[in-house]
Amino acid sequence: MSLSTVYRILKIMTTMGIIREVELAQAQKYYELNTISTHHHHIVCVQCHQIIEFENKYILQQGLRQVETMGLQLIDCKFTLHTICPKALDMGWPTISSNWVCPRFTTIDKTKSSDRKSSDLNTDIKKKPERRIELKGRYIVVHTPKDEFDSCKDKAKLITGWRLSRADKSWHFPLEKASEVINLFPGYEVDPKIFHN
């Protein structure tokens, strides 16, 4: 397969929403699956180009607040922190060789298959948030912590057309009830795709 075919397919998949294009270190483009459960941000070392993914619901919530006050609609929220790792600073950054490889990066690269989200840099890396609102097909799905299930049951019954998934104890609402659901569950991480529909 030629390189031009690969780029053409990447562009088509991006347009279809299967993957998303992310510009990180040195204007290089990266592609990642565009799934609801992987809404995350990036920390990038500008010297060794190490990329660490992290989740933070407050970044998305602040972005939503900002665009709503301006009367706009949020399409995506990408937040990238450009950093210099401690090893590069010790080596005398910015005067070190461009082909220098950070030993921390090579260590993380070796363990990437077992655990990509390394806590090596003391970042706020979390698993999927318990309180989240996702878009699944034609439904708005609300995931709640197990200990809050009973209190959420009373809230869910306030919106018509709900159903409970017994498999994962999540609440499903018709898509047209999205604004009611978001208002009824404040503080939940909201999938930005909901606002496209």
Side-chain angles (χ1 to χ4, degrees):
M1 185 181 291
S2 71
L3 194 57
S4 62
T5 303
V6 171
Y7 284 121
R8 205 168 33 253
I9 291 170
L10 285 172
K11 189 170 186 172
I12 291 168
M13 291 175 74
T14 304
T15 305
M16 293 174 67
I18 298 168
I19 59 174
R20 70 184 202 161
E21 185 180 88
V22 182
E23 286 188 36
L24 298 173
Q26 295 191 346
Q28 293 179 12
K29 292 181 180 177
Y30 293 83
Y31 296 88
E32 56 189 20
L33 281 176
N34 192 15
T35 58
I36 293 168
S37 60
T38 60
H39 194 276
H40 58 268
H41 309 286
H42 302 93
I43 297 172
V44 180
C45 174
V46 298
Q47 175 62 37
C48 67
H49 312 301
Q50 176 183 353
I51 300 168
I52 300 171
E53 297 176 352
F54 71 100
E55 293 180 8
N56 188 316
K57 66 180 180 181
Y58 301 109
I59 293 171
L60 180 61
Q61 289 172 354
Q62 182 59 38
L64 285 169
R65 269 190 235 112
Q66 184 64 40
V67 296
E68 285 173 1
T69 59
M70 300 173 76
L72 303 172
Q73 187 175 18
L74 184 67
I75 294 173
D76 196 3
C77 180
K78 299 175 188 171
F79 184 69
T80 305
L81 296 167
H82 295 274
T83 63
I84 300 296
C85 65
K87 293 290 183 186
L89 287 171
D90 290 345
M91 291 295 291
W93 184 87
T95 59
I96 57 178
S97 167
S98 61
N99 60 0
W100 172 80
V101 178
C102 176
R104 183 186 304 236
F105 179 68
T106 55
T107 304
I108 289 175
D109 201 34
K110 288 175 187 173
T111 60
K112 204 181 267 188
S113 59
S114 61
D115 183 14
R116 181 149 191 229
K117 295 178 179 176
S118 169
S119 59
D120 214 21
L121 294 178
N122 297 324
T123 57
D124 184 24
I125 299 172
K126 300 176 187 174
K127 57 184 179 182
K128 196 169 9 177
E130 288 186 287
R131 294 178 186 84
R132 65 186 191 283
I133 301 173
E134 297 178 335
L135 176 65
K136 283 191 181 175
R138 302 300 302 160
Y139 289 96
I140 302 297
V141 181
V142 178
H143 298 274
T144 60
K146 291 177 184 175
D147 58 337
E148 296 177 16
F149 182 77
D150 288 333
S151 62
C152 289
K153 187 188 331 182
D154 297 332
K155 284 184 180 182
K157 290 180 179 178
L158 296 173
I159 300 174
T160 58
W162 64 272
R163 70 179 181 81
L164 173 66
S165 168
R166 297 194 186 279
D168 63 354
K169 298 282 188 181
S170 60
W171 301 95
H172 294 241
F173 300 91
L175 185 57
E176 60 271 9
K177 303 286 187 177
S179 59
E180 291 178 54
V181 172
I182 292 168
N183 290 333
L184 199 59
F185 295 91
Y188 279 55
E189 182 171 301
V190 180
D191 174 17
K193 289 181 184 177
I194 291 172
F195 300 101
H196 302 320
N197 292 290

